[in-house]
Amino acid sequence: MSLNTSLRDAISANLAQTVADYKDFHRTPELSMQETQTAATIRSTLEALGLETHTFGGTGIVSVIENGEGPVVAYRADTDGLPIAEDTGYDYASTAEGTLPDGSTTKVMHGCGHDTHITVGLYVARYLVEHKDLWSGSVVMIFQPGEETGEGARAMLDDGLWNSIVRPEVIYGQHVWPGKAGHIYVAKETAMAMSDCLKVTVRGKQAHGSQPESSIDPIVLGAYMITRLQSIVSREISGRDMAVVTVGTFHGGLKENIIPDSAEFKLNIRTFNEEVREVVLNRVERVIRAEAQASGAPEPIIEEMYRFPRCYNDPAATDQFLDVVGAELGEEQVHLDRAVTGSEDFGAFGDDIDVPYVYWFFGGYSPAKFDGDEPPAGNHSPFFAPDDVETTLKTGIRAGLSAVLSTVGK
Amino acid sequence: MSLNTSLRDAISANLAQTVADYKDFHRTPELSMQETQTAATIRSTLEALGLETHTFGGTGIVSVIENGEGPVVAYRADTDGLPIAEDTGYDYASTAEGTLPDGSTTKVMHGCGHDTHITVGLYVARYLVEHKDLWSGSVVMIFQPGEETGEGARAMLDDGLWNSIVRPEVIYGQHVWPGKAGHIYVAKETAMAMSDCLKVTVRGKQAHGSQPESSIDPIVLGAYMITRLQSIVSREISGRDMAVVTVGTFHGGLKENIIPDSAEFKLNIRTFNEEVREVVLNRVERVIRAEAQASGAPEPIIEEMYRFPRCYNDPAATDQFLDVVGAELGEEQVHLDRAVTGSEDFGAFGDDIDVPYVYWFFGGYSPAKFDGDEPPAGNHSPFFAPDDVETTLKTGIRAGLSAVLSTVGK
Amino acid sequence: MSLNTSLRDAISANLAQTVADYKDFHRTPELSMQETQTAATIRSTLEALGLETHTFGGTGIVSVIENGEGPVVAYRADTDGLPIAEDTGYDYASTAEGTLPDGSTTKVMHGCGHDTHITVGLYVARYLVEHKDLWSGSVVMIFQPGEETGEGARAMLDDGLWNSIVRPEVIYGQHVWPGKAGHIYVAKETAMAMSDCLKVTVRGKQAHGSQPESSIDPIVLGAYMITRLQSIVSREISGRDMAVVTVGTFHGGLKENIIPDSAEFKLNIRTFNEEVREVVLNRVERVIRAEAQASGAPEPIIEEMYRFPRCYNDPAATDQFLDVVGAELGEEQVHLDRAVTGSEDFGAFGDDIDVPYVYWFFGGYSPAKFDGDEPPAGNHSPFFAPDDVETTLKTGIRAGLSAVLSTVGK
Amino acid sequence: MSLNTSLRDAISANLAQTVADYKDFHRTPELSMQETQTAATIRSTLEALGLETHTFGGTGIVSVIENGEGPVVAYRADTDGLPIAEDTGYDYASTAEGTLPDGSTTKVMHGCGHDTHITVGLYVARYLVEHKDLWSGSVVMIFQPGEETGEGARAMLDDGLWNSIVRPEVIYGQHVWPGKAGHIYVAKETAMAMSDCLKVTVRGKQAHGSQPESSIDPIVLGAYMITRLQSIVSREISGRDMAVVTVGTFHGGLKENIIPDSAEFKLNIRTFNEEVREVVLNRVERVIRAEAQASGAPEPIIEEMYRFPRCYNDPAATDQFLDVVGAELGEEQVHLDRAVTGSEDFGAFGDDIDVPYVYWFFGGYSPAKFDGDEPPAGNHSPFFAPDDVETTLKTGIRAGLSAVLSTVGK
């Protein structure tokens, strides 16, 4: 049940423009929950297709493509960039800047490839609008902001998304990653990890750098906390289970000869199931509190910043997706893969209304990139961007359309 | 050989104004090498005494009080504040702000008590001008900026201080600290530590927080470096020698779910002699480079930021100081003490022209402050400020005048 | 295709004696490669069944049960105990002692349950001998010593096992573990981890405990090595892969006030595939050598003690086993499980002659043991021993016979 | 007030025999509190001088040399060896063995030079007996066992030493160390550190090495404790104070693939004053208990093994000693030195009856040994032994006699 020939021809015929649109998005990333220009472009593009647009959660845009009787499906793309200084060397590399919540300025980059998601999503919408003869029913197109901070899906839901928009029977979404361009990778059941983010304020006691005995040194204490945290994954979790504990930031001290009063670090925790998650969270807190005691320090402050839910691919919907996308792209291009340690708030759209969903990955690199000793750069690297943009985008569009049409297609 | 009665009376009579002047300086601290308002006030005060002023190193002010034939002595006071948010609760507490070299804004505080040094220095000058009958010769009054960053003495010397100003035969200086108000503390020979400051750039490899295996994690690496550095003092230096290794700052990462490309920390090292200094510097570099190797990381970058020389009190000049200040304040108020681990660039003025010098401490707290379990706050603490301001300043002035007059007094 | 009724009846009828035999083995464990009494008992038991016995690798015993034309299968049981002081409280608990290779004395315990393996193996042999009407072909019964040290299988193979004994077309083996008595657990393809054991000699420099500056402290260095090794699993291996790095021993120093010249620790590494294994071994060596450099210590000595190969269950043979044992014990008693992180030298028998094999686990605890907060004690714990011995042994015998008869049964 | 010529001549004339006696003691060291052969030799030597001997504390020997009216002084030598395998290469190197309290066998060495102490002590006694014309009064010669374990002085005192032996008005003692042969080193007031020894039992939970999640790993926990303890000296004690924290032993685990139930380490702590001692002991306990909490481990067991008191040289007695030994050996051979970080139970003899005492060091190496990059081996090293035995012993005898005769000499 591969795509109709006229649809395939349209995808190929428009590819130069598709790539050009992608490069525009690539040049102009915006930070999470600040995607105002990006949202404006999405809105005007959808409206140019004759669609009505709705705004949820500030910079989230939704259109429903209606086409008579039939099932309702949803397709979601996320739209935000990251505080990374791009280092790809492409002539369309980003030079954008943004302002972080703490007021500091940063370079911004589509370092997670959401520019491909926007582009693919807008072309999926266009082809559905232009080929209404091939399907009937409704398709809800969701352009979600703030995925990187775990805020966007929640903001759209809290803003009443499913109260005013028709509820689908299945939801699809996809993500570019450092796989081979032209290939699709999907996991059944657990697809992506849960993620918990904590902020830890290490409290010490300030003193002159020459008099550590008058201080409680929060930098040394923080360093002991971080080295001690390594033993959670190495000693307290079974080799058969998955846990990743990353300290992504550490900040303390203004001057080399003053031992500061406090320091701060932020933790990101990935797990595949609730039981392991509870163990890790419990151990992280235990280690941090005990290390503070070892220093005779005041109680550290541990705050939950946000959490991502598990992304659980419905088995039946995944099997159906495997069938149709295998038929479209060729069996050998479609891989049933293990769950990944990355996280997504995509699952929230389905979990919120108890609707099944499928989330998959599409590759972004030409095969030659995999020949060397070093694998190609991964998401969140300053070097991450598809090198074979045409194949990458075409494959994303064909996979997205195949999935949507597997439900609403005639 | 205590101070003349009329001089003592003058000190007491002016005490209310002395305290008021101190509070003005306390309210308006400025960061190192940015002491423009402070320098302007010093300049106008000296000029109001009829003295000519000279500027060295941008914000360093010098006046020579000439009074006929006789010896030449110098007296030095330092003038800069610190990037600390004051927390003393005094109604004259600082609310000043300043801009650090990296462009960020910070609260500023006279957290090391240099406001007492300026006040004492200006009144020493005043009494010398007003009591020329008591002495003959010349006194060089040096108001030095940028002591906290080790820049100020060097800047004044490099700007030609001793080429244009008459060279003294001895130099005096003093520092307030958490001792008892009314008391003087001085060490013979080694008086203060050498200080070396290093900046370490920990280089890693950026990756998504869920994929540490694709990264070289510079925060975990930095934490291992910092914990490993502890063993230098604990294992590689004799218990009979002195070494302090403080990591005063550690900064890395922008976002909890991105393992950053690099992190940075700054080290401050204190030692009393060149041999131990060499061992510590060598070991610090060895540990940092080896830890980078343990992570398979690129070579870290270790840069010397600045260093403070040793402060070596001339034995004969110190004995003379002990005699005169003991006579002035009472033997039991004057303490021959061990060397302190703090550092100063005061010594550079004498070392540069091979002239002997004496540097001592005067206490800032009333006796009751020492009764509790907790000692009173030390220098560089947000809580540091004299509570018995009158006694503190009066003692500083009497000690300073005693020292100067022990050489130029009639 | 479940077991013949007369065979089942025999198993039940003999159960009291089976349990008594088990308890005898439990009381009298011997250390690896020293199983002389155990081997003698096995030999006499097999000979009492009319079988000829062959000795390989010192304490390995083999008998071939010949029964006319037909396929040849092998069944392997391992026989050695561990240097653990039993703490089960059972009246048949071991009080045995043994001598370790370094000459020291230790309590010995069947802490890994090999006593059940011997008992089950001998009864499998007995029933095959007593029920020759049910099958035809040959069954090679292998009683292997020295599994715990990875020496036994290699010793039997090096002693010419497959040169003098008829080669089978499939090999079976099983292990008791802390699952439910009556249940069978098996993984397809990778079944157990590879294991690498290293001995590390940390070289330092001896000195008086009060003069660490004259020493290179191998205990502090070893401690830094061990804490630093934690980051290999936590940071350098994907959460989707498996690696366990255990430091099982650390020994250094004779007297608290002498910093010793050296210390020694032993590492055990578990991985599921060669690629991850290479990364871990490389990183372990990198960390150990770099930490020695951080201490300015002589090169540490890293020696490979032994390694266990992967245990890879042939997919077709595993499917066949799942069918027959599911038919015998009930589908719901048989679990297709994930690979375990433990290791075995069982795989060497098949790998050596390129013959497929299947290795599975049988549970040792009654269901009530799983109700509390604490899971029941695992292998190598001083508390490990089946509490429902009857069910445990009966299930082992039924599973073993089912597997063997699935190939040679009529 | 140097030694009488006939006494000096006697010392020189007997030097070959003195050296031969030293080598005999060097060859035959015995472990602490097991010095039975050594005590027998001392006893017979003293009795051959016509002295009565008394035994205290098992292997402690005392003789009082009586010589009419006059002051009473005491001289003490310690007699025990160490569990070190000698590596000096001398033809008189020890090959002795001994049995440690835990039953294990060890090589034994006079690795702290007590063989020189015995030899010097016996010759001091001999010369006092043979030259009674030069002095009057009484000299108490104390040969003390078990100095290395802090047991010996206490054992002799508890055995009633000062109840049955005449009490002296001053006590002298000395120790060989890696200074220059012919030179004497002495500190006034605090002369040697206090020493506290602790035994720590790290309690965990045993499990198979492949299943750390079922364990509480006491080796990793112990390693974290040891690395964390480094920060006490580096961060919690002023650079101006002295503290040494040495972990001299660590033992855990029998088999690399079993995570053990517990591990044990022993700590030795050196400090110069009670205040710092209390801080260190408090912090050591705090760190150890907090680290156990970080692992979720049972409370570790911290036991005091023994402690050494401070060795405090009476200022007046030290001044007198400096005068007489300077006169005897030459001013430039006698050094007023800083306190050392080593410890001694010598002070207990005087502290017990409130009698002043002086303890000094005499060098053991020829000057050429100090020319290279490496200092000569220190006490407790397998390479420690005087290379210029003649000068070493002669200087010890002259210093000992000078001290004794400064009080009882005519």
Side-chain angles (χ1 to χ4, degrees), chain D residues 11-88:
Chain D
I11 295 172
S12 294
N14 293 324
L15 210 46
Q17 184 60 42
T18 313
V19 169
D21 289 352
Y22 158 76
K23 291 183 178 174
D24 283 345
F25 285 117
H26 189 82
R27 275 186 204 96
T28 56
E30 294 170 294
L31 289 174
S32 299
M33 306 311 285
Q34 306 177 27
E35 311 86 343
T36 47
Q37 285 308 315
T38 305
T41 305
I42 292 166
R43 195 182 299 111
S44 65
T45 305
L46 294 170
E47 290 173 355
L49 295 173
L51 298 171
E52 189 180 354
T53 59
H54 312 267
T55 301
F56 294 92
T59 45
I61 305 296
V62 176
S63 283
V64 184
I65 313 174
E66 295 176 329
N67 190 23
E69 289 296 299
V72 182
V73 303
Y75 179 94
R76 172 269 206 178
D78 45 358
T79 65
D80 49 334
L82 282 165
I84 297 176
E86 179 162 357
D87 204 8
T88 60

Side-chain angles (χ1 to χ4, degrees), chain B residues 113 120 125 137 154 164 170 191 212 230 247 254 284 290 294 308-309 323 359 379 400 405 407:
Chain B
V120 166
R154 183 65 11 228
S164 47
V170 63
Q230 306 310 309
V247 176
L254 267 175
V284 163
F308 284 94
D323 283 347
Y359 197 75
N379 303 68
L405 292 176
T407 302

Side-chain angles (χ1 to χ4, degrees), chain A residues 7 20 96 99 194 196 236 251 295 325 332 362 377 384 392 399 410:
Chain A
L7 182 48
T99 305
M194 290 181 286
D196 288 85
E236 307 217 39
H251 292 283
S295 283
V325 79
E332 71 288 350
F362 60 110
F384 179 74
T392 300
K410 283 182 179 169

Side-chain angles (χ1 to χ4, degrees), chain C residues 77-134:
Chain C
D78 46 358
T79 65
D80 50 334
L82 281 164
I84 298 177
E86 179 162 358
D87 203 8
T88 59
Y90 289 127
D91 57 10
Y92 51 91
S94 165
T95 56
E97 298 200 337
T99 304
L100 289 167
D102 70 0
S104 64
T105 303
T106 177
K107 296 282 181 188
V108 186
M109 174 194 181
H110 264 305
C112 202
H114 296 184
D115 44 0
T116 67
H117 305 180
I118 307 166
T119 311
V120 166
L122 290 174
Y123 276 87
V124 165
R126 171 173 169 178
Y127 296 126
L128 289 171
V129 168
E130 291 179 352
H131 292 81
K132 287 198 170 172
D133 55 312
L134 301 177

Side-chain angles (χ1 to χ4, degrees), chain D residues 18-311:
Chain D
T18 313
V19 169
D21 289 352
Y22 158 76
K23 291 183 178 174
D24 283 345
F25 285 117
H26 189 82
R27 275 186 204 96
T28 56
E30 294 170 294
L31 289 174
S32 299
M33 306 311 285
Q34 306 177 27
E35 311 86 343
T36 47
Q37 285 308 315
T38 305
T41 305
I42 292 166
R43 195 182 299 111
S44 65
T45 305
L46 294 170
E47 290 173 355
L49 295 173
L51 298 171
E52 189 180 354
T53 59
H54 312 267
T55 301
F56 294 92
T59 45
I61 305 296
V62 176
S63 283
V64 184
I65 313 174
E66 295 176 329
N67 190 23
E69 289 296 299
V72 182
V73 303
Y75 179 94
R76 172 269 206 178
D78 45 358
T79 65
D80 49 334
L82 282 165
I84 297 176
E86 179 162 357
D87 204 8
T88 60
Y90 289 127
D91 57 10
Y92 50 91
S94 164
T95 55
E97 298 202 337
T99 304
L100 289 167
D102 70 0
S104 63
T105 303
T106 176
K107 296 283 181 188
V108 185
M109 174 194 181
H110 263 306
C112 202
H114 296 184
D115 43 0
T116 67
H117 305 180
I118 307 167
T119 309
V120 166
L122 290 173
Y123 275 88
V124 164
R126 171 173 169 177
Y127 296 126
L128 290 171
V129 168
E130 293 179 351
H131 292 81
K132 286 198 173 172
D133 54 312
L134 300 177
W135 63 284
S136 66
S138 296
V139 179
V140 182
M141 299 299 303
I142 303 172
F143 292 87
Q144 178 209 306
E147 186 277 331
E148 294 295 345
T149 57
E151 293 169 283
R154 184 66 8 229
M156 293 185 76
L157 291 166
D158 289 351
D159 203 13
L161 174 67
W162 296 134
N163 297 333
S164 47
I165 297 292
V166 58
R167 298 189 179 196
E169 59 192 55
V170 62
I171 310 176
Y172 298 108
Q174 59 182 326
H175 205 299
V176 70
W177 80 349
K180 289 185 182 167
H183 290 244
I184 294 292
Y185 309 78
V186 64
K188 212 189 298 192
E189 303 184 85
T190 297
M192 299 190 75
M194 291 181 283
S195 171
D196 288 86
C197 290
L198 304 176
K199 183 172 111 176
V200 179
T201 306
V202 182
R203 296 160 69 205
K205 187 176 152 199
Q206 182 164 329
H208 194 282
S210 68
Q211 293 166 352
E213 72 276 13
S214 302
S215 80
I216 297 170
D217 185 331
I219 289 181
V220 166
L221 172 52
Y224 277 116
M225 286 174 176
I226 292 169
T227 58
R228 193 63 155 100
L229 286 170
Q230 306 310 310
S231 66
I232 296 173
V233 169
S234 70
R235 297 280 85 190
E236 309 216 38
I237 302 300
S238 168
R240 307 206 299 176
D241 288 322
M242 193 287 284
V244 173
V245 177
T246 286
V247 176
T249 73
F250 187 96
H251 292 282
L254 265 175
K255 206 161 170 349
E256 61 291 339
N257 67 346
I258 305 176
I259 298 168
D261 198 52
S262 66
E264 179 194 292
F265 63 89
K266 291 182 185 161
L267 276 162
N268 182 257
I269 296 164
R270 309 278 168 152
T271 50
F272 278 154
N273 68 61
E274 191 57 38
E275 195 182 343
V276 172
R277 176 179 174 265
E278 285 302 324
V279 170
V280 174
L281 284 172
N282 170 287
R283 297 300 195 275
V284 163
E285 179 166 349
R286 194 178 72 191
V287 161
I288 290 169
R289 295 207 184 283
E291 286 298 324
Q293 282 182 39
S295 283
E299 274 286 291
I301 301 163
I302 305 176
E303 294 165 277
E304 184 179 314
M305 294 173 64
Y306 59 84
R307 63 172 293 197
F308 283 95
R310 182 163 71 158
C311 181

